[in-house]
Amino acid sequence: MANLVISGGRRLIGDLQISGAKNAALPIIAASLLTAKEVQLSNVPSLEDTRVMTELIKSVGAKTEIEGNTMYIMANNLYDGGVPEGLARKIRCSIHMIGALLPRLGKIEVPLPGGDDLGMRKIDLHIKGLTALGATVNTSNQSISAQANRLIGADIVLSFPSVGATENIILAASLAMGITTIRNAAKEPEIIDMANFLNSMGAMIEDAGSELIKITGVDKLGGTKYTIMSDRINTGTYMVAAAITHGEVFLKNSNSVYLSAVIERLREAGIQIEETIEGIWVKATNGFQPLDITTEVYPGFPTDMQPLITPLLAIANGRSTVKETIWEQRFEHIPQLTKMGADINMKGDTAIITGVKNLNGARVMATDIRAGAALVIAGLAAKGETVIQDIYHIDRGYERIEEMLRSVGACIYRN
Ligand code: EPU
């Protein structure tokens, strides 16, 4: 299996084009199953996870065509032919097949979803939401199945603003009879993107992006042409990558509006950031100031950026803390960074990071998407050579990461 090999210490200089957002593309591809008319999606990131999602919708009869980053989906002839377990277990978003297929098929069974190993990854809120809409939901050790003649709008209160559960309920409620409200809904920008996509097909979703979302069910949805938002976490990744090399990079097709919490903290660390309509400009000339960070739901500091900012703090001038509040188990990158010379101690849900002068190249292992990207960032700054194994995790969320970084001066290749 291929590794990524990085010779660290080169400044990143130049322009990078940010791809479409994985975490918007995945639910939107699933949402395309809600209509029998043609859907055309632009800015679809070419990733392992989007390929898996495409195979998943094909497994229930959807026809797809892909030209570059444009995808055509036609779901006029769907069937519950048994979603392959191997595919469903690869990504978390396979569970969105329930919300998207239940209104079309009346009954669907999906193997339990997989995805990164970040903790318990419960699905109780998905089940609670679908049940409130009138579905009969059964789970076994292997799968989740749901059945409903016609879903009926309901008032649903989430005990935690889960991104996936909010999306799944919106999907199912779009074609339900009557009005659904979701209270304590997740506010992540990808939910707004999915709602905008559904509304462009004729759905009636109001106030996505707020904690109270209202969905008025419609009888059917039409076709659409839609452009997927740019990836805010990949933008953040390349911002940190540029900064840690004391580089100067312009990130095209990026949107700083959804990155306020990250930009604020990076500025506090001493990084220069300019937000323009065309994109985000990042420059770092001096050493980095330590930070105390706590992950929060949007608009707070995103959990997905937590592993990515850690290498920067590992070489900051002093002691930082990083507290993870969303996932029980999102510190798999810490032992790997320690191998590279980082001084990090864990205390419960908090990493205590004492800045060292520099990181050193080492042989390390990617354990999930963001942990893998964090090792790439660390490798760019480290003295000597870093070899990252198990890079399929990185390919799940980053389009051509080594080509992107090479284009701005990094010495990184796949072997
Ligand atoms: N949770 C429950 N019950 C549920 C659902 C979630 O207790 O029914 C808990 C989870 O166990 C977790 C927390 O709620 O502790 C957050 O889960 P959420 O449902 O919000 O996350 P998700 O939809 O599974 C998405 C992203 C993640 C990102 C989180 C949080 C996608 C495909 N994934 O996951 O992205 O970390 O929201 O923002 O959209 C990544 O891209 O690397 C990634 C892991």
Side-chain angles (χ1 to χ4, degrees):
M1 204 177 288
N3 298 325
L4 278 177
V5 181
I6 308 170
S7 294
R10 306 212 179 181
R11 292 180 67 207
L12 302 189
I13 295 173
D15 294 0
L16 286 174
Q17 176 83 14
I18 298 299
S19 66
K22 166 180 82 76
N23 290 348
L26 295 175
I28 286 175
I29 294 172
S32 303
L33 297 176
L34 282 168
T35 179
K37 299 281 191 243
E38 188 180 73
V39 166
Q40 180 184 326
L41 299 175
S42 307
N43 207 28
V44 180
S46 173
L47 302 168
E48 201 41 46
D49 275 14
T50 45
R51 275 186 281 280
V52 171
M53 195 73 227
T54 306
E55 290 305 314
L56 280 168
I57 65 165
K58 281 162 78 174
S59 76
V60 292
K63 304 268 182 304
T64 65
E65 259 178 62
I66 296 170
E67 285 168 18
N69 292 100
T70 303
M71 184 170 175
Y72 301 87
I73 302 171
M74 186 70 176
N76 58 344
N77 186 16
L78 295 177
Y79 46 81
D80 180 7
V83 176
E85 191 179 324
L87 282 178
R89 291 227 193 274
K90 279 189 177 158
I91 59 171
R92 182 73 176 163
C93 265
S94 44
I95 199 170
H96 290 55
M97 304 273 286
I98 306 241
L101 285 171
L102 200 49
R104 292 283 310 276
L105 297 176
K107 148 176 163 314
I108 178 73
E109 181 167 5
V110 177
L112 286 179
D116 286 332
D117 186 9
L118 306 174
M120 305 249 290
R121 303 211 78 160
K122 289 188 285 182
I123 54 170
D124 55 315
L125 300 172
H126 295 252
I127 296 170
K128 187 183 164 198
L130 295 167
T131 306
L133 293 171
T136 306
V137 184
N138 288 305
T139 49
S140 70
N141 288 342
Q142 302 298 320
S143 66
I144 164 164
S145 63
Q147 198 169 348
N149 289 335
R150 175 87 204 256
L151 295 167
I152 297 174
D155 191 10
I156 299 167
V157 184
L158 295 179
S159 54
F160 177 84
S162 152
V163 174
T166 302
E167 289 167 347
N168 223 343
I169 295 167
I170 293 175
L171 292 174
S174 292
L175 289 182
M177 205 188 313
I179 293 175
T180 297
T181 48
I182 311 175
R183 294 171 202 276
N184 197 26
K187 298 187 286 233
E188 269 66 5
E190 292 76 14
I191 291 170
I192 304 176
D193 210 39
M194 190 192 79
N196 288 343
F197 165 74
L198 288 168
N199 285 344
S200 76
M201 299 199 293
M204 289 174 65
I205 303 160
E206 293 167 63
D207 300 324
S210 80
E211 58 197 22
L212 175 58
I213 301 178
K214 179 178 166 194
I215 306 126
T216 306
V218 296
D219 285 336
K220 61 180 179 196
L221 297 172
T224 188
K225 290 182 180 178
Y226 190 79
T227 302
I228 288 170
M229 67 182 282
S230 80
D231 197 310
R232 66 190 167 107
I233 305 301
N234 287 17
T235 305
T237 305
Y238 290 111
M239 287 172 84
V240 181
I244 204 166
T245 66
H246 293 107
E248 187 171 349
V249 168
F250 184 68
L251 301 168
K252 295 186 281 187
N253 187 35
S254 60
N255 186 349
S256 64
V257 173
Y258 295 136
L259 272 166
S260 306
V262 173
I263 289 175
E264 194 183 310
R265 304 320 304 274
L266 291 178
R267 281 190 177 133
E268 261 176 64
I271 296 155
Q272 298 168 54
I273 297 166
E274 212 174 290
E275 303 166 54
T276 73
I277 296 173
E278 290 79 29
I280 305 174
W281 177 84
V282 188
K283 184 177 179 183
T285 38
N286 302 317
F288 308 113
Q289 296 310 308
L291 300 173
D292 293 310
I293 286 177
T294 300
T295 63
E296 286 166 44
V297 295
Y298 188 82
F301 192 90
T303 169
D304 293 344
M305 281 301 300
Q306 179 265 103
L308 301 161
I309 202 166
T310 302
L312 188 97
L313 301 178
I315 54 166
N317 304 318
R319 185 174 169 276
S320 300
T321 56
V322 174
K323 182 177 160 83
E324 173 61 51
T325 70
I326 308 295
W327 297 109
E328 299 96 349
Q329 222 173 296
R330 200 171 203 172
F331 284 114
E332 298 287 312
H333 50 292
I334 302 293
Q336 306 299 320
L337 290 173
T338 307
K339 280 192 207 166
M340 298 179 73
D343 180 352
I344 307 176
N345 288 302
M346 289 305 305
K347 203 170 171 197
D349 59 4
T350 302
I352 299 158
I353 307 162
T354 308
V356 293
K357 203 153 170 280
N358 56 267
L359 297 172
N360 298 310
R363 201 173 180 85
V364 287
M365 197 184 291
T367 49
D368 60 70
I369 301 174
R370 310 302 170 191
L375 298 176
V376 172
I377 291 173
L380 292 171
K383 275 195 172 159
E385 190 176 87
T386 297
V387 179
I388 308 177
Q389 296 171 289
D390 286 356
I391 57 171
Y392 63 91
H393 288 290
I394 301 173
D395 293 333
R396 289 186 49 205
Y398 292 87
E399 196 175 293
R400 301 175 293 107
I401 194 165
E402 74 277 24
E403 282 177 41
M404 293 269 285
L405 290 168
R406 259 204 313 270
S407 75
V408 287
C411 179
I412 173 170
Y413 60 93
R414 204 175 270 252
N415 80 355

